[in-house]
Amino acid sequence: MRKVPGLELAGRVSGFCLFLAAMAHFGLAQSAPLLAADPKIRAALEDVSAQQIQANIEKLVSFRTRSTLSAQDPAAIASGRGIGAAREWIKSEFERYSEDCGGCLEVKTDSYTQEPGERVKEPTVITNVYAVLKGTDAENAKRMVLVTGHYDSRNSDNYNLTDDAPGANDDASGTAVSLECARVLSKLKFPATLVFLTVAGEEQGLYGSRHFAQMAKDQGWDLEAVLNNDIVGGDKSPEQDHSRIRVFSEGVPAAATDQELRRIRTLGGESDSTSRQLARYTVDVGRTYQLGVQPMMIFRQDRYLRGGDHFSFNQQGFAAVRITEFREDFHHQHQNVRMENGVPYGDLPRFVDFDYVSQVARLNAATLGSLAAAPAPPANPRLLTKDLENDSTLTWDASPGGLATAYELLWRTTTSPEWEHAQKVGNVARTTMKMSKDDVIFAVRACDQAGHCSLPVVPAPER
Ligand SMILES: [Zn+2]
């Protein structure tokens, strides 16, 4: 229970009445939102292996360079050098996991030729490799949750294809997270669909993810959440915090229309994008499963003036966050492997903390599993504003897909970064709270009997 400043001023006589009033106003009786831990997901998290992740990162490094501009002809693939060989190996890994689950994964590629442009001189084939674990429920299988990392790498010079570009942290670590999530979650079944993606062309300008996100948009995918893991190796520099992982999320959506921007400005909605709800959800997941690495939300689209593949999805209107280690070491990113004045440069496996990556993989797997097991978010939530009143009435349409058995209202003060309160309101489509919509931000989420809950959705005003 959170302390409310000023409550001790209540005094003895009228204390109880004031306490009740405060309860109604601040929702004191409610606890902060959590999810119920799912024993199957918990078992899958135990299955996540630091040794497997280490083996995968070392294998990716063994291709010497995974530059998107490096060779991918049959001879190069046979020689085990270059991005083509890396791509074929990732594909074979997904296929191996699929064999272990009786063909449960559909392993696919999304390939196109990038014409010369930024950091690409020649027409270049860019191939994304992904595996799909189709949902078991016909209606809910349309809903998708996706995890991605980029498997391409680079060294000091974008066009240097001869020297090593090990990219152990950037981003074999993120690729290993996608692979490990596929391996452990493919042993389970979920009503909604999971997509395990690895993309190329990131280092030249997010080419692969842009193509993939465009495809998802064009094909009308109901993509509820995207987790982009880029540099999640927990570099072993002295200032590293191995208990925290940064989760970046956009505030004002990149894809917001003018009308949406106007509403955001008017209602103070700058911290309520779907991506931000996803970031908050990862925090709830981290607490629910008491993981060894806890998310630290950064309310910013990405690191200062830098970018990543989640942005490709944000641009198409999807909820997407970037997950990155607490502290980056720039001696170990985009550098030729060398010693200079006694300082080692290069993105080598020996700087990666494989236990840390495995904790990050657990955070991802738990988030993916929780969302894929949950009902769809309630549709079309509205906050009624026809009459001026101090109560707040919310309505919504049932969560599509029929998994929801109850709805929960979440709220927080306008200055709070996280949802502070949750209240079950039953299997209804309307509720009235004794609280003014002027003073708090509301959201509603759909839950099932087992305590799986959807992402919360903030209502739109209805006059
Ligand atoms: Zn990267």
Side-chain angles (χ1 to χ4, degrees):
M1 196 177 282
R2 274 157 214 264
K3 275 211 181 113
V4 174
L7 196 63
E8 53 283 333
L9 296 179
R12 242 180 280 162
V13 180
S14 58
F16 185 63
C17 293
L18 276 171
F19 179 64
L20 283 182
M23 267 181 30
H25 192 78
F26 296 101
L28 257 188
Q30 317 307 328
S31 55
L34 274 182
L35 306 154
D38 178 324
K40 289 203 193 93
I41 293 174
R42 200 186 280 288
L45 303 188
E46 278 168 28
D47 195 16
V48 170
S49 157
Q51 290 74 31
Q52 179 69 49
I53 284 169
Q54 177 172 358
N56 288 347
I57 291 174
E58 285 172 351
K59 181 69 188 180
L60 285 161
V61 170
S62 78
F63 300 109
R64 312 305 295 256
T65 179
R66 304 186 308 280
S67 166
T68 298
L69 313 177
S70 64
Q72 43 181 312
D73 57 285
I77 292 171
S79 76
R81 191 186 172 99
I83 192 154
R87 174 190 77 207
E88 292 306 311
W89 175 76
I90 292 168
K91 202 158 160 271
S92 71
E93 270 306 279
F94 280 138
E95 280 160 358
R96 194 165 68 82
Y97 306 155
S98 189
E99 270 169 40
D100 289 346
C101 62
C104 74
L105 294 173
E106 199 183 342
V107 181
K108 301 174 94 164
T109 53
D110 160 44
S111 201
Y112 79 105
T113 300
Q114 176 61 45
E115 294 306 321
E118 191 194 354
R119 280 174 262 176
V120 176
K121 279 182 189 157
E122 310 284 334
T124 302
V125 173
I126 293 182
T127 303
N128 304 313
V129 185
Y130 63 112
V132 180
L133 178 65
K134 196 155 191 271
T136 51
D137 180 89
E139 270 307 299
N140 286 281
K142 293 174 204 154
R143 300 168 44 219
M144 295 177 179
V145 186
L146 182 149
V147 59
T148 186
H150 70 87
Y151 71 91
D152 62 315
S153 69
R154 60 163 288 177
N155 55 31
S156 303
D157 175 1
N158 178 59
Y159 298 107
N160 175 346
L161 310 179
T162 46
D163 293 316
D164 285 355
N169 196 349
D170 185 12
D171 183 33
S173 65
T175 304
V177 166
S178 274
L179 285 167
E180 191 64 353
C181 285
R183 191 181 70 80
V184 304
L185 293 177
S186 57
K187 296 171 184 174
L188 305 184
K189 291 185 182 356
F190 298 96
T193 294
L194 288 172
V195 182
F196 310 96
L197 173 64
T198 67
V199 299
E202 196 273 351
E203 299 293 6
Q204 284 68 40
L206 315 180
Y207 285 112
S209 59
R210 193 174 303 150
H211 191 264
F212 194 93
Q214 184 71 57
M215 172 181 76
K217 175 79 174 178
D218 292 347
Q219 296 182 1
W221 288 18
D222 181 5
L223 190 51
E224 279 181 13
V226 173
L227 305 175
N228 172 33
N229 292 270
D230 195 351
I231 312 173
V232 293
D235 186 282
K236 293 171 184 164
S237 60
E239 294 92 343
Q240 188 64 273
D241 183 342
H242 297 270
S243 70
R244 288 199 279 179
I245 181 87
R246 291 181 292 171
V247 178
F248 292 85
S249 59
E250 64 177 10
V252 177
T257 62
D258 283 351
Q259 192 190 356
E260 284 162 345
L261 289 174
R262 229 172 295 128
R263 183 193 292 167
I264 288 167
R265 267 198 298 271
T266 309
L267 300 178
E270 296 88 349
S271 194
D272 280 289
S273 65
T274 54
S275 301
R276 182 94 7 118
Q277 310 308 350
L278 176 57
R280 293 183 177 113
Y281 196 92
T282 68
V283 173
D284 290 346
V285 166
R287 287 183 189 138
T288 300
Y289 289 94
Q290 296 172 311
L291 302 174
V293 169
Q294 291 293 329
M296 169 181 154
M297 288 193 288
I298 309 284
F299 284 4
R300 182 172 271 163
Q301 187 187 73
D302 205 323
R303 302 146 308 155
Y304 211 84
L305 299 179
R306 295 162 73 202
D309 291 317
H310 58 305
F311 185 57
S312 297
F313 291 92
N314 287 155
Q315 283 179 307
Q316 299 298 342
F318 298 118
V321 297
R322 180 198 182 101
I323 302 177
T324 296
E325 65 187 8
F326 175 75
R327 186 181 188 277
E328 296 173 79
D329 187 327
F330 302 105
H331 296 101
H332 305 152
Q333 286 179 21
H334 302 186
Q335 294 287 346
N336 284 352
V337 179
R338 66 192 192 278
M339 284 292 278
E340 221 172 86
N341 303 321
V343 178
Y345 286 78
D347 191 351
L348 296 166
R350 69 183 161 101
F351 303 123
V352 172
D353 174 351
F354 302 109
D355 285 321
Y356 182 84
V357 186
S358 69
Q359 291 293 352
V360 175
R362 286 185 186 100
L363 175 68
N364 277 268
T367 305
L368 296 166
S370 298
L371 287 170
N380 194 23
R382 287 143 288 163
L383 190 47
L384 305 190
T385 57
K386 199 160 150 259
D387 302 314
L388 281 174
E389 55 189 353
N390 285 310
D391 292 352
S392 304
T393 297
L394 288 93
T395 69
W396 54 90
D397 301 339
S399 154
L403 295 178
T405 56
Y407 295 87
E408 281 184 19
L409 217 60
L410 308 185
W411 68 94
R412 64 178 207 273
T413 55
T414 58
T415 51
S416 173
E418 289 183 48
W419 297 113
E420 295 171 312
H421 309 285
Q423 181 167 304
K424 290 185 169 61
V425 295
N427 197 357
V428 297
R430 180 189 179 97
T431 192
T432 298
M433 300 298 283
K434 292 267 164 215
M435 254 181 288
S436 172
K437 52 195 156 298
D438 295 342
D439 303 341
V440 297
I441 294 169
F442 286 112
V444 58
R445 67 181 184 181
C447 302
D448 70 5
Q449 214 108 49
H452 304 115
C453 293
S454 71
L455 287 173
V457 210
V458 173
E462 182 173 283
R463 290 207 166 84

